[in-house]
């Protein structure tokens, strides 16, 4: 059976759907029996969601850039 | 996340409508910046993104719609960055820089490969709830900054921009296995930061 350490090593591949059928089954079996790993995977997913939700620092000059690019486009259709 | 649909946006872009460019920039500049970062590093990234925008405008009439606008933009920025780079390619560094809170390392596991101690449960279980703490946001930023340019870009392109792994390895010209390693280690560091914060309430 897969150890927790091995499961952690494969966790990203699990999240990305990069596991083979056999590996997926092994992971699923492990998760059924192991509360720590279930928690770990759940919190890895939460970490992903947090990164997704973090405000992205946009340049403050978005409008200037948009105006400039639109002008460029109109000048060179 | 509401990305503008290409079919709506394209005619307006072609007409030179400022609002359409505003939407385009808002939706994709983050991903473009991440690609530029990965290839030329922080120092030249902004320049590369600006050059790429000019190339986008110049080539807009020739956009065939065979790929999505997003893919097209990212390819242009990757090409712009690469021609900017010219010199020998930077090696993919798989050596990690230390993150503020480490990672999920061997020390967390017993001899038999099982967790040595219980994985602590977090108090909050939604991203919104977690992100209400300014200090945590800053702490995560710090962890992101501790990653190499390439690793940070891989993490952001995957997690924030939702790119496929294959697209990331094509754009950045690194192997799929490198992408997987970079992404996994980056995620574990971010996880460790969150876990540490949940446990101690501090960065
Ligand atoms: Zn386990």
């Amino acid at each position: 059976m897969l150890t927790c350490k091995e499961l952690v090593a494969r966790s990203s591949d699990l999240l990305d759907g990069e596991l083979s059928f056999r590996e997926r089954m092994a992971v699923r079996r492990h998760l059924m029996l192991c509360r720590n790993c279930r928690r770990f995977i759940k919190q890895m997913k939460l970490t992903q969601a947090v990164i997704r939700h973090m405000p992205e620092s946009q340049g403050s000059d978005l409008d200037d850039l948009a105006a400039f690019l639109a002008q460029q486009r109109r000048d060179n259709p | 996340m509401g990305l503008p649909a290409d079919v709506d946006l394209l005619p307006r872009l072609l007409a030179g409508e400022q609002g359409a460019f505003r939407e385009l920039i808002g939706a994709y500049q983050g991903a473009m910046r991440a690609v530029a970062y990965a290839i030329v590093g922080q120092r030249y990234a902004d320049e590369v993104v600006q050059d790429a925008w000019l190339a986008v405008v110049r080539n807009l009439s020739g956009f065939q719609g065979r790929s999505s606008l997003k893919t097209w933009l990212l390819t242009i920025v990757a090409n712009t960055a690469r021609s900017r780079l010219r010199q020998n390619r930077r090696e993919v560094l798989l050596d990690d820089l230390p993150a503020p809170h480490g990672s999920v390392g061997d020390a967390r596991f017993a001899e038999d490969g099982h967790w040595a101690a219980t994985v602590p449960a977090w108090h909050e279980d939604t991203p919104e709830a977690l992100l209400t703490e300014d200090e945590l946001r800053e702490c995560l930023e710090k962890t992101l900054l501790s990653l190499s340019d390439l690793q940070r870009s891989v993490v952001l392109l995957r997690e924030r921009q939702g790119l496929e792994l294959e697209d990331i390895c094509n754009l950045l010209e690194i192997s799929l296995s490198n992408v997987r390693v970079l992404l996994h280690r980056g995620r574990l560091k971010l996880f460790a930061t969150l876990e540490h914060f949940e446990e101690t309430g501090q960065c």
Side-chain angles (χ1 to χ4, degrees), chain B residues 66-78:
Chain B
R66 271 194 225 104
S67 60
S68 65
L69 265 174
K70 180 181 188 178
T71 303
W72 185 66
L73 293 175
L74 295 184
T75 307
I76 288 180
V77 81

Side-chain angles (χ1 to χ4, degrees), chain B residues 93-141:
Chain B
L93 289 178
L94 294 177
D95 296 333
D96 287 4
L97 304 162
H101 306 292
S103 183
V104 179
D106 288 355
R108 298 284 296 269
F109 301 95
E111 289 269 293
D112 63 2
H114 288 269
W115 292 97
T118 310
V119 175
W122 297 354
H123 312 292
E124 306 291 356
D125 58 5
T126 65
E128 292 83 0
L130 284 159
L131 286 171
T132 50
E133 307 255 15
D134 288 342
E135 210 185 333
L136 176 60
R137 284 207 306 272
E138 281 166 28
C139 191
L140 287 166
E141 292 287 356

